[in-house]
Amino acid sequence: MPGLKFSRIAAISLLSVVTLFAAGCGGDGDAKSNVSDQVIDDRERQWDDQNIEDYTLAYEERRSGPDLRVTVEVRDSRIDDIDYDTDDLRPGGLTGGPFTVDGLFDLIRRAKNEARELNVQFDETRGYPIFIAIDWVRGNVNDEVDIEVTSFTAR
């Protein structure tokens, strides 16, 4: 029955669209955030004004599964060495890292534009991000990620 076949296809297509919409497949963009673009700009300027080109940044990335611990050595504003805690490395890996401080600011800006929710805390003295919590997509499970800076040493 051609009419029945079309109705079934139409119903399945409509159900798929409604399911995707309800599950939130895609970030809302313009994330609900605890920081404005101005605050991000100000903190990035605070960081840049210090001209710190050599440093060690250690952070933990938390999402579903074990935490991932990363230590990044930066020399002349470029990654020189990376140490992963491979005992805890999990499928799905990194959220676009390893990160420098500039890379963390890039992640914040991307999340501000693409994610559903973003929360950020900054170091008061130097301005770099010390905590980033992102919920990329409403209704998706295991897409949330937290990045917490556990150590920063300028050289």
Side-chain angles (χ1 to χ4, degrees):
M1 299 180 139
L4 180 60
K5 191 180 222 176
F6 177 77
S7 296
R8 225 179 243 168
I9 291 170
I12 290 169
S13 297
L14 180 59
L15 181 60
S16 297
V17 169
V18 169
T19 301
L20 289 174
F21 180 74
C25 291
D28 296 334
D30 197 25
K32 181 170 82 173
S33 176
N34 69 327
V35 293
S36 66
D37 290 333
Q38 184 64 51
V39 168
I40 297 168
D41 290 344
D42 291 346
R43 292 303 192 158
E44 190 168 27
R45 194 171 310 107
Q46 179 184 2
W47 164 252
D48 288 341
D49 287 348
Q50 296 176 64
N51 293 317
I52 300 172
E53 296 183 349
D54 300 327
Y55 59 90
T56 302
L57 176 72
Y59 63 88
E60 289 186 5
E61 181 179 319
R62 293 183 289 272
R63 33 170 53 184
S64 65
D67 296 349
L68 176 64
R69 287 179 284 287
V70 182
T71 302
V72 180
E73 298 283 336
V74 176
R75 302 225 191 300
D76 296 323
S77 299
R78 294 199 171 117
I79 294 177
D80 185 56
D81 190 35
I82 306 162
D83 180 31
Y84 296 101
D85 185 338
T86 54
D87 292 338
D88 291 336
L89 194 58
R90 67 205 175 279
L94 303 166
T95 304
F99 294 105
T100 61
V101 171
D102 291 335
L104 291 173
F105 277 108
D106 291 343
L107 176 65
I108 291 166
R109 290 186 192 290
R110 180 176 152 228
K112 185 91 164 122
N113 291 324
E114 297 176 15
R116 184 183 81 81
E117 191 169 337
L118 169 68
N119 290 296
V120 183
Q121 297 171 7
F122 297 93
D123 179 82
E124 292 296 322
T125 305
R126 294 197 164 135
Y128 62 86
I130 57 172
F131 181 78
I132 304 167
I134 304 168
D135 183 0
W136 287 105
V137 181
R138 178 180 13 145
N140 269 14
V141 177
N142 300 332
D143 72 316
E144 299 86 1
V145 62
D146 294 346
I147 295 176
E148 182 175 3
V149 172
T150 56
S151 174
F152 177 89
T153 306
R155 291 177 232 250

